[in-house]
Each structure stands twice: as structure tokens, then as C-alpha cells.
Amino acid sequence: MSAESPTSLSELKQKYHTAIDGNLSDKQLRVNLKNAMDTLKNNRKNLVGTRFYDWEALREKGKEIKQKNLRQLPQLLERFEANATKNGFKIHWAKDGNEANEIIYNLMLEKKVTKILKGKSMASEEIHFNHFLAEKGMQALETDLGEVIIQLLDEAPVHIVTPAIHKNRFQIGEIFHEKLNAPLESEPEKLNAIARTYMRKEFETFRMGLSGVNFAIANEGAIWLLENEGNGRMSTAAPDIHVAICGIEKVIESFEDAATLNALLIPSATGAPVTCYNNIITSPRQAGEKDGPREAHIILLDNNRSNMLKDPHYYRAMSCIRCGTCLNHCPVYDKIGGHAYLSAYPGPIGEVITPQIYGINKCSPMLDLCSLCGRCSEMCPVKIPLAELIRDLRSERVGEGRKNIVGNDGSTKNPSEIFQMQQFAVAATSPKKWRFALLMVSIFGPLGKFFHSIIPGLKNWTKYREFPEIKGYFHSQVSKMQGVIYE
């Protein structure tokens, strides 16, 4: 979410509508997203169908592992801190994004460092680390290819796993030509070479690197990082100082648990059986070793995760392993893209965790970016009931539900919407009123085809939909069918 929040619900909605309208009108964006999502979905489907003899059993095991670890997370965090400290890591606790940013900033001041090279880290996006550092006159330089592209454009990632998936190779060539003064190219190999040349000079001189964490192993006090480009390994092994930002839900009891989740994560994320680089870091550089950082710091980030954990319903969102497959299969995401969610975490998982991290008062319209088709729940490798949670968060938005979501201050209530739903409930719970309402729709509904553009509510609904053809209503059709049968 942006540091600046709209002052009213209407302003907030307008901000979302502007972003959505812009992306829907961008034909090239929609083509790029469809091609990319279709590729990722097909890769996953083919791999699961050919390489796994019981994928569903593996999903169930992954679900059980995550829930088991979440139930004992306080104890695992203490165990991880103790073992990691014993291994030589320096552990820091951050209750929110501001504390995490300040920890890194003060560390940079202490070490007289003005530039930090980053491997891919969604946690750093969550806390707006790059913007924070820029305001301090320092620089966070991305090294992941997708992150490099969007940093050149001063954009946020559009996807959890593939941050620049909304750009095709021709567009990327134009970006490199304009921003890096490179020759205009479109072949992937040549584009990779341009990015490699651009980054290599930075890798030669940097002193501090930053990364995320995929799994933090409590029993070993170690962290496990997954990546495909090698830049992550450079960002963690080459500098004098390595800083890792780890959401507290990433702490897992054992390597065995992490290995199972890893077997679910990679196929779900990219449709590949394994990732190119598995970086397991057990300590900073030890005596006699030739590489590795001299100092290694791990920031354990809460940022309202504790509030999520204590809720017996919504805590299931913390099972997320950040594979992004819910985005890949979402019929809304592949039309509007990640930027339209105005959040570091887009798509179905973003709709569930963003209100709980930043406050539902700051992002409630994003809950409408869901058709409740259930694909995300069906595809989630650890079986998070995403569609169910999105539906329940909608009830929180109007002042119902469990009423303990961060930022649930009443500002998201829409009196008009509440009144309409109350009237609907009155009609829907009375057979006589319901049949009368359907009769009125069957009589007057066809007029909507001619006047929908001036009818409040209906004009917004038909802005992106064709007006349906209305022929009678269900009860009358059944009555006619019964009459035919009885004759």
C-alpha cells in the first residue's frame, strides 16, 4: 500500500477504479498477461500430471505441515533465534515495517555503506524499503532481472514470483535501450547479457547485500533461499554484510518440513520440478572459509502477522508459501494485472493478507476484485481457502463478521450497500415477496437494456458486461414445465 492513504472511502474507490480502468484499456498489457498466465498454468498442469503420482496427498501433507508449524510458531521463533545466534547470525526483531527499515538503515550508517544490492524479497516490497532508503539519500539496487526492469521504470512488482511478467521481450528491449543506452534488442539471450553487464560492475564493489527468506529452519538456525538467476547467491555470499528479511511465518521446524513445502512451491510457481539455486545459509563466514559474508543479520518481521496468527479463522492465510499460483489461475488478475491491486501482494492471496497487514480501512475496495469462482482455493498447494476468506473479509468490511481485523474502524461501511442488502434479505426470505420481485424483473427488466446507461448502479455494472437477456423467471418456467408433464 502507498504511504499516503485516501481520506475517504469514495476517494479510495476512485483510486482503484482509475488503476483498473487504465489496465483494462491497455491491450498490450492484457495480451502479455494472458500469454504469461497460460504458459505458467500449462507448465504446472503438465508437470503435476507427469512427475507426481499423488499430488493431492502432497498438498494435504503441505497443509498439515504449515498448520502444525503455525500452531507452535512462538516456540519455533525462540528456538530459531537461539540456534541462529549460536551459529553466528545476529537476530533483530521488527514489529512493523518502520522498525525493519530503521534497523537496516542504522546498520548501513554504522558500516558507512550508502548502497545495498538486493536479491528478490517480497518482504522488502511490503515495507517499502526502496522508497524509505531513497528518502534517506541511500540506494537499494535490485539484481533480480525482473526487479531490475521494474526499478528502471520506477514501478512496483506486478507479480509475487515474476515481477515484470507484464512486459514482453520487445518492451524490455526498448526499456534497456532508453534507460541503459543499450543497443535495441529483443532476443532473450541478448537482453540477459545487457542486464548482466549492467549489474556486474555493481557486484564488483558492493559491501552489503539484502535478501528475503523462503524457509527459516528452527532446529538448525539456518535459512533457505530459492532463486533461478544466481543474483541471490551473489547478494548473500559475496558482500561483507548480508541482511535477510524474514516474515515470522517463514519459520519452519525442520529441513524435512521445508523440503516438502519446497516440493510444492517450485512446481506451483513456475511449473519446473526444481529451482536452479538452493542456497542454504547456516552462518556467516567461518575461520578458514574463502567466501561468505563476515556478518549475517536476520530481521524477523511481524508487521501484524501476530494479529493474523491469533485469529482462529484468518490465520490460515499465513500458510502461504508465496508460489503465486493463485494469481496465475485468477480470472480477474489476468485481466487487470497486479498494479491494479495497489498492494505489494496482488491477486487472491493479496486480497486476504493485505487488509490484515495494512488495515482493511486502507484497501477495502480490493476485496471486490474477486468473482468467488474458487480457482485459487482449488489450486493453492497448501489448501488455503482463499475464496472463503475473501468472502468473509467482505463481511468484515461492512461491520459484520469477526470484527477484529486491523483498521476495522467503520470507515469502510457503505450505508447504501448495507441498505440494499437488507432489502434483498427481506425479499429473499419471504416466498411471496421473492416471487413478486421476480415477476417485476421479468416485466420491467427488459427495459434495462435501453436505459441501463442512466440507471445508478446498473450503469456501472454494465460498463464491462453485456446486459443479460431476460425471459420470464425460474418459477414461471418450472410451472410451465410441470403443466406439460402433468398433461
Side-chain angles (χ1 to χ4, degrees), residues 167-220:
K167 300 294 184 183
N168 62 33
R169 59 192 176 97
F170 302 102
Q171 291 172 306
I172 294 170
E174 292 172 357
I175 293 167
F176 285 173
H177 180 61
E178 177 185 350
K179 302 293 184 178
L180 302 180
N181 198 30
L184 185 60
E185 302 287 356
S186 61
E187 295 302 319
E189 295 81 2
K190 293 181 180 179
L191 294 174
N192 279 327
I194 291 171
R196 189 179 301 116
T197 301
Y198 166 63
M199 291 309 308
R200 187 158 291 173
K201 64 180 183 295
E202 301 293 345
F203 278 124
E204 290 175 354
T205 58
F206 82 123
R207 294 179 50 222
M208 181 179 289
L210 182 140
S211 75
V213 174
N214 291 99
F215 308 109
I217 317 301
N219 289 349
E220 307 295 336

Side-chain angles (χ1 to χ4, degrees), residues 236-249:
T236 59
D240 292 333
I241 306 151
H242 169 213
V243 180
I245 307 177
C246 177
I248 58 174
E249 81 282 7

Side-chain angles (χ1 to χ4, degrees), residues 7-58:
T7 57
S8 69
L9 181 59
S10 61
E11 289 179 353
L12 186 59
K13 285 185 174 181
Q14 185 56 51
K15 193 173 182 181
Y16 276 90
H17 289 165
T18 300
I20 293 166
D21 289 346
N23 286 1
L24 285 174
S25 63
D26 188 336
K27 294 182 179 179
Q28 187 61 61
L29 171 71
R30 296 182 65 177
V31 169
N32 293 349
L33 286 170
K34 185 179 187 305
N35 291 340
M37 297 301 103
D38 286 350
T39 298
L40 290 171
K41 286 187 290 188
N42 289 332
N43 288 348
R44 178 189 181 277
K45 179 180 178 181
N46 293 336
L47 182 71
V48 169
T50 57
R51 295 289 293 269
F52 293 86
Y53 69 88
D54 197 343
W55 175 255
E56 291 307 310
L58 186 61

Side-chain angles (χ1 to χ4, degrees), residues 422-458:
Q422 287 172 342
Q423 297 306 305
F424 173 80
V426 169
T429 53
S430 168
K432 186 178 294 186
K433 291 179 180 178
W434 183 248
R435 290 192 179 97
F436 178 76
L438 292 178
L439 177 62
M440 292 298 100
V441 170
S442 68
I443 295 172
F444 297 105
L447 296 176
K449 186 172 184 178
F450 303 101
F451 299 106
H452 64 83
S453 61
I454 61 174
I455 299 175
L458 190 58

